[in-house]
Amino acid sequence: MADTEERAEVDEAEIAAHWKEEEWIHPSESFVAQANMADEAVLERFAQDKFPESFREYADLLDWDEPWHTTLDSSNPPFWNWFVGGKLNASYNCVDRHLEKNRNKAAFIFVPEDEGEVDQVITYQDLYVRVNEFAALLQDFCGLKAGDRVTLHMPMTPELPVVMLACARIGVIHSQVFGGFSGTACGERIVDSESHVLITTDAYWRSGKLLDHKEKADEAVAKAAESGVVVDKVLVWRRYPGKVSAATPMVGGRDFYVDELMKDYKGRRVAPLSMSSDAPLFLMYTSGTTAKPKGCQHSTGGYLAYAAGTAKYYQDIHPEDVYWCMADIGWITGHSYIVYGPLANGATTVMYEGAPNWPDEGRFWNIVEKYKVSIFYTAPTAIRAFIKWGDDWPGQADLSSLRLLGTVGEPINPEAWMWYRKVIGAEKCPIVDTWWQTETGCIMLSPLPGVTTTKPGSCTMPLPGVVPDIVTKDGESLDDNLGGLLVLKQPWPSMLRTLYGDHDRFLETYFSEIPGSYFAGDGARRDEDGCYWIMGRVDDVLNVAGHRLSTMEIESALVSHPQVAEAAVVGFPHELKGEGICCFVTMTVQDQSEELKAELIAHVREQIGAIATPDKIRFAAAVPKTRSGKIMRRLLRDIAAGREEVGDTTTLEDYTVLASLRDDE
Ligand code: WT7
């Protein structure tokens, strides 16, 4: 891990500014009166139950085929097992068990971006039928069985949760790759997870354009083949038959249209397979400090129990709610809080396909009004965009149905928090600022909406049973208000179990930095009231518009361009996205033209996806390194941010490098 020490330093002035901003906000009486957990006594009960028994409450929300006999097996840390001996099926818990009472209740309301297309309401009964039929196809046509991995590269379509739940039904481990990632990025994840089946879609809408998605599948399969992993079946869901297929022909014997295959599976039912609590449910790839993405492996029992419980208590889902998490299902947020958490609670969930400003900046608020959305979960980057677009857009819609607002993904600035509360929440909705990660699976730090007094900008307190601390790089606990590294000192049910196929990297990344604790990779401080303030990543991971990107993944994309000799990528503060991407590149050619910059930007987009689009490209004579050859990222960050002061440069190999970088602007 690079630079942890430097970046964990606290900026006292920044803290002082926070204090001035601070206002305490109590949950309103009307919210408290109806909250699922409004009673401090419940928290006390958790406290009395003591770790790990407190987590039983969450597991009790699920239907188990066989009850567990041990809440937590700690015999081989950090490979902890939760609800040991228990057996259950995630698809049964998210679908079948709701049929008796809620057969005709909407599970999903799918809103396509193109307003010319009709919205789709998928009831629990519809979902049951679709999940069963597709599970039969996975079993019979693809020959998949429990423990196999399958890669999904699907945009926001109603078929995506169907595929996930069909996999879960037969114990197949799904690995959904965010639809916006390139074919190449998808191919790398296919290789790592050793998937032989890829499930994709023909096309989707984004910002008014119908994008061909099938072509990415071809790239992905080709990329996987380079590493010797053969994808023998590509299943293509068609939303727009005939519109884009001409550009990307189907490969005979490999590519199949799902609608054509499904004719043979009409009316089929597949019994949900009883899975052991620790059986893997899915992989979710995330970026780390090397170019190779990490396949976080989540378990069936612990993950689902905690997803259900956190959605119920921390997002306060009630049977009558219309719940909308605006993340993409391709990220952990969508897995936990569009699919598994809400469905385990039998909720109605909105899924929106496209851009927040299409056809105009009022789109989100029209959806809230149209479906009377009551719970809305978004990211600070989106809130900052809403602020920029102006209060008139939300002002034109009736948002009175909203009763709880949430945020996740990055630190939220107090101004954005206050705007969210006032303009969207009419000062009556509690705001839950939820801190968690792909690895933690579910929410870890958050206000309990009917109980906790909130401070704008703080994710407040750990959930009961979650034990964070702020420590030095030597693992010593720090006093209140001192910035340090955020760690979790005890296991929790939805934690990642390992990195797929790489136990060593799992141990090294998360449990070796601060021995005995889970190292989150974030800097934070705790104030004297026990509230946590997240300060951002302390490793070489960027958080761009709430998306996690590895600087090294972008660097390796850059050096794969034939004219790039060396590259160093750092983040810099960005008004809307939180962090922007600045690339320092040394070239093998003299050319320093704007055209070449544009070409490099396009190259990174092609290699990784639009989310990794560099904001700045800077040509440099050489990348500054320490004597031991480490890229001087701190210096580059200072340069990228345009800060006057730079750190100690005495270890710089070549001062002229610094000088030339500075002159560049
Ligand atoms: C990183 C995890 C969890 C789903 C979305 C991102 C940052 C997350 C908050 C928050 C401040 C936050 C952290 C964390 N982060 N939530 N409420 N306040 N920072 O998942 O891609 O795994 O990224 O996002 O830096 O480590 P992810």
Side-chain angles (χ1 to χ4, degrees), residues 521-597:
D522 278 348
R525 73 182 167 92
R526 182 182 45 231
D527 69 22
E528 61 273 27
D529 302 310
C531 286
Y532 283 77
W533 301 77
I534 308 293
M535 292 151 66
R537 301 287 310 190
V538 293
D539 51 15
D540 293 332
V541 167
L542 303 182
N543 189 335
V544 179
H547 297 147
R548 198 204 287 201
L549 292 166
S550 146
T551 50
M552 277 171 227
E553 205 174 349
I554 305 171
E555 284 159 10
S556 76
L558 283 164
V559 295
S560 73
H561 185 281
Q563 283 151 4
V564 174
E566 219 179 359
V569 172
V570 294
F572 67 94
H574 188 285
E575 200 195 340
L576 281 185
K577 298 195 280 188
E579 221 169 1
I581 303 172
C582 180
C583 309
F584 294 88
V585 283
T586 56
M587 308 296 292
T588 56
V589 288
Q590 289 302 315
D591 184 5
Q592 301 211 339
S593 63
E594 288 305 310
E595 289 73 34
L596 187 56
K597 281 189 183 175

Side-chain angles (χ1 to χ4, degrees), residues 333 409-411 433-438 522 534 537 543 548:
T333 312
E410 320 149 62
D433 174 358
T434 59
W435 177 88
W436 56 294
Q437 308 177 297
T438 304
D522 278 348
I534 308 293
R537 301 287 310 190
N543 189 335
R548 198 204 287 201

Side-chain angles (χ1 to χ4, degrees), residues 58-59 61-64 83 88-94 97 165 277 281-282 298-311 335-336 339-345 442 493-494:
Y58 297 91
L61 298 171
L62 302 180
D63 282 4
W64 295 77
F83 312 124
L88 76 168
N89 182 278
S91 150
Y92 176 87
N93 272 282
C94 290
R97 68 171 176 153
L165 293 162
S277 175
L281 179 61
F282 65 85
H298 283 288
S299 70
T300 308
Y303 170 82
L304 192 65
Y306 213 44
T310 48
H335 273 50
S336 302
V339 182
Y340 288 112
L343 292 188
N345 282 286
C442 297
S494 64

